[in-house]
Amino acid sequence: MKLMLLFLSAAIVNNFVLSYFLGICPFVGVSKRVSSALSMGLAVTFVMTISATVTWLIYNLILVPYNVEILEYVAFILVIASLVQLVEMFIRKVSKPLYDTMGIYLPLITTNCAILGLALFAVLREYSFIESLVFGIGAGVGFTLALVIMAGIREELELSPVPKHFQGAGITMIVAGSLALAFMGFAGLIAN
Amino acid sequence: MNASGIDQGVVTKVEGHLAYVELESGDACESCGARNLCVPLSGGTRSIVAANPENARVGDRVTVEEQGQPVLTLSALQYGLPLLGFFIGILFVYGGLIRIPFLAPELGMFLSGLIGLGGGGVLAWWGIKRLSRRPGRFFTVRLLR
């Protein structure tokens, strides 16, 4: 039950994009079409889940025993960047069409502060290994959810008469703000 | 099967019924401050092999369309299967179905997860290889008029 609540909390109540405003760059950049939003969401969920577990191991089995917790930022950034590079290399090797269409978005994952935020939150809240795993999956699902909702709205917006001065980034920010307001309705439903 | 435009680009080579299209930079990069450091943009170009039913010629500007949802299918295979394997691997040790001696329980779970991840990766590789047998199957070019 606790793990289920943790999952729901990370995915909906404390959504990384719409509650913490982390990972806004891909949220705005890759939300023009629902299919690319879903693909990006899958990629981010994958990296988030793996990095949540790897950073847990590094923090608890290396940094804490050797009393060098101060290096957590450096260690986490290195882990996340290496992980994304590995994923990119694997995709380039295995799936050329996917790399050609998604490759351009992959560096966005490396510079996605939501992933570093996830690792830091997991440490701060002293999650166990399994809790970190569930937190990672929940945060990834929440990220995908936010991205897909946004993409759905933007696809509709393409057919709507948006006033000239609001077109492009302007209307995107207004929609993002409205979505964040809507997600505020979940605030406090589950504590962290 | 529905088709949707993913990007625009210029035809650089035509080979039989296939066109090689050099894509323009994606919308994700337009406002990115790090785009000069970013490998996909600074390191060269992205090119896609696509079916060429409209007989586009070298130099023509075209829209590349997806046939169905290939990127989504490939993403689901590429990320979904290994992730599922990783999750199942961890659950096997967490649920006590497998015991790994001489290791901290978390390391055991991670190791088992990695094995699952590898298994999922192999399945994904096999699935993608099957899907990618025919070049030009995923994308089609349409001339921009």
Side-chain angles (χ1 to χ4, degrees), chain A residues 40-165:
Chain A
M40 183 68 176
L42 271 166
V44 170
T45 306
F46 178 83
V47 174
M48 272 185 160
T49 309
I50 309 288
S51 58
T53 52
V54 174
T55 51
W56 189 96
L57 290 174
I58 286 178
Y59 185 79
N60 288 284
L61 301 183
I62 299 173
L63 300 184
V64 171
Y66 290 101
N67 218 6
V68 283
E69 294 98 319
I70 196 162
L71 293 177
E72 65 178 334
Y73 281 82
V74 181
F76 292 175
I77 289 170
L78 278 175
V79 164
I80 293 164
S82 317
L83 208 60
V84 176
Q85 282 302 313
L86 275 175
V87 171
E88 196 174 334
M89 279 161 60
F90 184 68
I91 292 177
R92 194 185 303 186
K93 199 83 182 159
V94 170
S95 175
K96 188 77 172 67
L98 182 63
Y99 180 78
D100 286 333
T101 47
M102 279 281 288
I104 204 144
Y105 301 128
L106 290 172
L108 281 176
I109 305 176
T110 320
T111 52
N112 188 346
C113 52
I115 295 171
L116 181 62
L118 171 100
L120 295 173
F121 276 140
V123 165
L124 196 70
R125 294 173 187 171
E126 296 177 352
Y127 286 148
S128 67
F129 181 78
I130 281 292
E131 285 171 342
S132 287
L133 172 80
V134 173
F135 185 53
I137 296 176
V141 169
F143 185 89
T144 310
L145 186 71
L147 218 60
V148 169
I149 293 174
M150 184 68 173
I153 295 174
R154 286 181 79 177
E155 279 189 356
E156 293 293 320
L157 276 176
E158 275 183 17
L159 305 170
S160 309
V162 179
K164 191 184 168 193
H165 298 292

